[in-house]
Amino acid sequence: MNFYKIARPILFRLDAERAHDLTLRGLRIAQRLGITSFLSPGHSKEPVKLMGLNFPNRVGLAAGLDKSGNCVAGFGSMGFGFVEVGTITPVAQEGNPRPRLFRVREHEAIINRMGFNNPGIETALDNIQKSRKGFEGILGINIGKNKKTPNENALDDYLHCFRKSYTHADYIAVNVSSPNTSGLRELQTPKFARELLSPIMDEREKLKEETGKSVPVAVKIDPDMGTDQIKELSELFIELELDAIIATNTTVSRDSINDHRLSTETGGLSGSPLNEKSNEVIAKLHTELKDKVPIIGVGGINSKEDAQEKLSAGASLVQIYTGLIYQGPSLIKELAEL
Ligand SMILES: Cc1cc2nc3c(=O)[nH]c(=O)nc-3n(C[C@H](O)[C@H](O)[C@H](O)COP(=O)(O)O)c2cc1C
């Protein structure tokens, strides 16, 4: 039975953020009762080796859905081979005022300006420790900076979260691409990116010696940068020996939904209208990175064919968020067969 076919019309009648909260609450309860696997059992094919880790399949949950780390095993039992929690910042913050999440249904898209609402790193790690019990996939922790921290001090925030997360995460994703924290994307300019990523990679070496564990570091980039910036950043990623690039975050462009009444809402656009744009970035990255740094492809995946296009453009793994909202958990099962 496709449970989501019944649930979706009910959820879509609710305000988008309320539907989101209710779903996560339900998943959390189901997870506690140990009944989440009935939703959609995982169908792993061959494990995929990437960043020195063994991924049970190629499909992951993109950052932003489990911002608090409360539902890791719940999402795992829906079939995800990996789950990326966050974005998490050093201190708890509420994010932007509501409404801040909009369904653009005609385009199978979402506009969000959540603004890193999250419980802060300490609480999130407590949550993760509890909710990952029984999870057999790979856990990513996605880190960012607090809104009140100026870019000059951003490194302190990232290093704080990096150190705290280190022994909990299978990989850590450095998010410098959300459009909803003012100035964050400036951290992707090659100068800032070096000042941020180089000390993080040095810190990894230190922590590796201290703990005996080497945690891979991924960077998440936006889909709105030009070819020159992709080229320059790729050179930096190769030089610093980053372990993966996650491409892409949401777009600030409205080109593909210009006629829609919600197109003037500020925030990042995800889902179908992002698909092609993210594929273009993946393809350019793939050319520049020359297989030296692997790519995790994300943006607008709604079907197996969409995911296959990302793999053909050069991604090794894929992640979904908006596609899960529109298609339901059966999409995970389909993608796990890739
Ligand atoms: C409501 C919402 C919140 C998001 N929050 C985050 C976040 O906190 N950190 C992050 O790195 N990406 C965040 N994202 C971006 C997604 O991880 C993903 O990169 C993007 O939505 C494109 O994938 P999709 O088209 O499958 O949704 C968010 C996306 C949505 C829709």
Side-chain angles (χ1 to χ4, degrees), residues 4 7-16 19 103 105 325-326:
Y4 199 68
R8 193 184 115 148
I10 301 166
L11 289 170
F12 272 36
R13 231 174 277 153
L14 302 173
D15 159 75
R103 284 185 212 104
R105 285 175 71 162
I325 308 297
Y326 283 95

Side-chain angles (χ1 to χ4, degrees), residues 58 282 286 294-298 307 309-318:
R58 290 186 196 272
I282 292 168
H286 185 238
I295 300 165
I296 300 176
V298 51
E309 271 181 37
K310 290 237 174 336
L311 299 179
S312 303
S316 300
L317 300 171
V318 295

Side-chain angles (χ1 to χ4, degrees), residues 62-64 67 86-87 101 110 112 114 116 142 175 220 248-250 270-271 274 298-301 319-323:
K67 282 180 185 279
T87 295
L101 183 62
I110 289 177
N112 94 84
M114 304 298 284
F116 291 169
N142 178 309
N175 180 13
K220 185 161 178 181
T248 66
N249 214 313
T250 54
S270 58
L274 174 61
V298 51
I301 297 176
Q319 291 179 320
I320 57 169
Y321 184 148
T322 308

Side-chain angles (χ1 to χ4, degrees), residues 20 60-67 84-88 100-102 108-118 142-143 173-180 184 220-221 223 246-251 268-275 278 297-302 310 319-325 331:
H20 168 276
L61 176 69
L65 188 48
D66 193 5
K67 282 180 185 279
E84 194 171 304
V85 168
T87 295
I88 305 172
R100 54 192 180 177
L101 183 62
F102 308 88
E108 297 201 313
I110 289 177
I111 293 174
N112 94 84
R113 50 169 179 270
M114 304 298 284
F116 291 169
N117 51 311
N118 81 101
N142 178 309
I143 60 172
V174 177
N175 180 13
V176 283
S177 49
S178 167
N180 301 315
L184 193 83
K220 185 161 178 181
I221 63 166
I246 305 173
T248 66
N249 214 313
T250 54
T251 177
L269 174 69
S270 58
S272 296
L274 174 61
N275 187 22
S278 112
V298 51
I301 297 176
N302 265 304
K310 290 237 174 336
Q319 291 179 320
I320 57 169
Y321 184 148
T322 308
L324 180 64
I325 308 297
L331 178 62

